[in-house]
Amino acid sequence: MPNDPGTRQGIYDSVFVGRSRNYLPDLIPYYFPIRGFEIYDGPIEVKNLKFYDFPDDPRHPNSSALGFLLNLNWQLAVTSNVSGLVFQNVSTRIQFGTGSIYFNRLDGDLNQVIRDGDGSLTGEKGSWLATALPVHTMNSCTPKPEYNATHCPSSIKYGQLYIRNMNTSGTVFPCAFGLNCLGLVVRRADVASFAHNLISTPHTDVPFYFQPLVIKGKTYTLEFPYSTPSHLILQPTNFDMEETLRVGICYPPGTTFRVAKYSGLYRFNYNLQQASSLSEAVQNASRSFYWDSDTNMLFIHYKAGSARSGQSSVFAYCANGDQCDQFWIYAYGPHVNDPAYPGRCPGAYPKYAEVDTSSPPVIIPSSSSSSSLTSSSAAAVTSGETAPTEDGGETTSISPSTSTSTNTNSVVSTSSSSRATSSSSSSSS
């Protein structure tokens, strides 16, 4: 993790021009995507930017006004957000990793995320765009193939799980190091058939670190193609009070454990007690673990006990600045670090499979067929007026009213259907 918790990088009140009348020979490599602002690392705060003239160009496919660092092997902070964006003559507002020669499907390419603070990017205040993979989406999300992304409502909360391999004695890649090598398989329990394959962060000869994007409140299982490391550290990141995450890890049969909770890197809190059932471990969240000897799965149910606070709480990784909760797992047994026992648990599913219970997005057809807002609806968006819902509540309709984009591939336009969204805070989770 970065050593500067609560800090951020930002760009404000700026103009980006993709193509101008100052025609010069195109010196950009063929097929290299052109982008106005490139998101990397973070947290990144982008406010009040104007993008002009980023048209489609067959010489530079996957170009966009906003993009991500190419060949990205490090994950991005989930607290990065944008607001106050204006687009004019922009064909594609943002582009996520595509698997082309400039997006090599490294761990960072597979875990990209950005939050739309005010709706100026997506038309939906507080919503998210994430890499279009089943592990990052839910029923309540909407596919955005024009961006290679999934668009999820503000009700979904993203976090990160920082995984450190502290004993690499049994860690051997099953192939010569390269993009097709496998360091870790992450599965979300309600889409367990999808294997989220990671190399390592950053990719090195020995996979030390992993940092998958996670959805808070969900269950994830970790499978290693080599022997599960005998010493692992798990650190849930960007979690607030009462938010949860359940993690299951495959170990060889006959393994015993010591699991300790730390706050910060070396501030010992207590040893977790072994629970007799998963429900007991859930009941005693963050204070016990459960070992299922039938499936060889170790489970830890995490529940954040404090909120991020302070002047930079929106961008802080954990509560109290750098005091992140960590779980140090020590595994003992005759088959630990034995290459003959890779960290796979075929019996974990369907036993621990879950169901995505989120509701599909509500689609409200636009009443206007033109590409611009009517004066009355524009005034409502600008003033933040609310409209009553059928159940008597209030919904704020957010449209990219500051945008004058002529692109038919924009995430949201008033000539297409848009999702009804609840008024929500634009602060990042």
Side-chain angles (χ1 to χ4, degrees):
M1 291 295 295
N3 294 320
D4 52 354
T7 62
R8 63 187 183 276
Q9 301 116 31
I11 184 166
Y12 314 95
D13 306 316
S14 302
V15 175
F16 291 83
V17 178
R19 293 286 186 184
S20 71
R21 294 182 179 179
N22 184 22
Y23 291 111
L24 292 172
D26 191 344
L27 302 179
I28 300 175
Y30 190 62
Y31 274 100
F32 191 91
I34 297 171
R35 55 271 301 284
F37 181 77
E38 195 168 73
I39 302 165
Y40 171 59
D41 204 356
I44 300 291
E45 186 177 41
V46 176
K47 281 187 175 181
N48 303 328
L49 302 191
K50 297 181 179 180
F51 295 91
Y52 295 99
D53 298 322
F54 287 84
D56 283 331
D57 187 339
R59 297 169 299 175
H60 304 289
N62 303 315
S63 294
S64 56
L66 291 163
F68 295 87
L69 182 71
L70 304 176
N71 299 331
L72 180 58
N73 62 23
W74 192 264
Q75 270 70 60
L76 298 151
V78 299
T79 49
S80 294
N81 64 88
V82 299
S83 61
L85 304 183
V86 174
F87 303 92
Q88 182 169 321
N89 191 27
V90 172
S91 295
T92 303
R93 294 185 177 188
I94 189 169
Q95 186 69 251
F96 286 69
T98 62
S100 71
I101 59 174
Y102 294 110
F103 293 94
N104 277 331
R105 312 303 280 170
L106 300 177
D107 287 8
D109 296 321
L110 300 175
N111 292 276
Q112 295 169 346
V113 65
I114 194 75
R115 192 166 197 188
D116 185 359
D118 65 348
S120 58
L121 175 61
T122 65
E124 190 169 325
K125 180 180 179 181
S127 63
W128 308 80
L129 288 171
T131 305
L133 294 174
V135 72
H136 300 325
T137 192
M138 294 180 63
N139 290 340
S140 55
C141 302
T142 304
K144 292 297 175 186
E146 62 270 32
Y147 298 154
N148 297 296
T150 182
H151 181 210
C152 296
S154 59
S155 57
I156 289 180
K157 306 295 184 184
Y158 286 101
Q160 291 169 300
L161 179 63
Y162 187 38
I163 305 162
R164 299 177 65 184
N165 177 356
M166 304 300 289
N167 184 351
T168 61
S169 59
T171 303
V172 179
F173 265 144
C175 60
F177 178 74
L179 294 176
N180 293 322
C181 283
L182 182 62
L184 176 68
V185 177
V186 179
R187 298 182 190 273
R188 202 180 81 207
D190 53 0
V191 283
S193 61
F194 178 79
H196 189 35
N197 297 331
L198 303 179
I199 302 173
S200 68
T201 304
H203 59 288
T204 54
D205 289 338
V206 178
F208 289 100
Y209 309 112
F210 305 93
Q211 198 170 342
L213 182 68
V214 296
I215 296 176
K216 299 173 184 180
K218 293 295 182 179
T219 298
Y220 292 82
T221 56
L222 311 180
E223 304 171 7
F224 293 86
Y226 40 85
S227 179
T228 301
S230 60
H231 184 192
L232 283 174
I233 295 179
L234 305 183
Q235 177 181 301
T237 307
N238 298 115
F239 280 70
D240 274 312
M241 177 77 78
E242 302 294 312
E243 292 179 335
T244 64
L245 184 73
R246 189 181 305 166
V247 181
I249 309 172
C250 299
Y251 282 94
T255 303
T256 59
F257 303 93
R258 173 180 172 249
V259 182
K261 181 179 178 294
Y262 283 74
S263 292
L265 189 56
Y266 297 112
R267 184 174 296 177
F268 172 75
N269 292 163
Y270 49 78
N271 288 319
L272 276 68
Q273 301 300 309
Q274 182 166 348
S276 59
S277 65
L278 181 57
S279 59
E280 181 183 336
V282 172
Q283 183 70 25
N284 298 313
S286 299
R287 305 195 71 89
S288 64
F289 67 89
Y290 173 60
W291 167 245
D292 182 349
S293 58
D294 292 333
T295 60
N296 298 318
M297 293 286 296
L298 172 75
F299 284 97
I300 295 176
H301 187 84
Y302 172 68
K303 186 175 184 179
S306 24
R308 289 175 288 170
S309 60
Q311 185 176 3
S312 300
S313 61
V314 171
F315 299 98
Y317 303 118
C318 307
N320 302 317
D322 62 347
Q323 300 305 308
C324 299
D325 290 332
Q326 296 182 340
F327 297 92
W328 292 36
I329 304 171
Y330 299 89
Y332 311 95
H335 305 303
V336 173
N337 287 336
D338 185 345
Y341 289 85
R344 299 187 183 277
C345 297
Y349 300 106
K351 181 174 182 178
Y352 290 109
E354 298 176 353
V355 177
D356 179 1
T357 58
S358 64
S359 301
V362 177
I363 302 300
I364 300 179
S366 172
S367 60
S368 172
S369 61
S370 67
S371 60
S372 61
L373 292 170
T374 64
S375 57
S376 59
S377 57
V381 170
T382 303
S383 64
E385 293 178 9
T386 57
T389 60
E390 291 183 0
D391 61 1
E394 290 185 337
T395 294
T396 301
S397 177
I398 305 296
S399 297
S401 58
T402 56
S403 171
T404 55
S405 171
T406 58
N407 171 33
T408 58
N409 290 328
S410 297
V411 174
V412 175
S413 68
T414 54
S415 60
S416 62
S417 296
S418 61
R419 177 166 51 198
T421 64
S422 297
S423 177
S424 60
S425 171
S426 62
S427 63
S428 298
S429 295

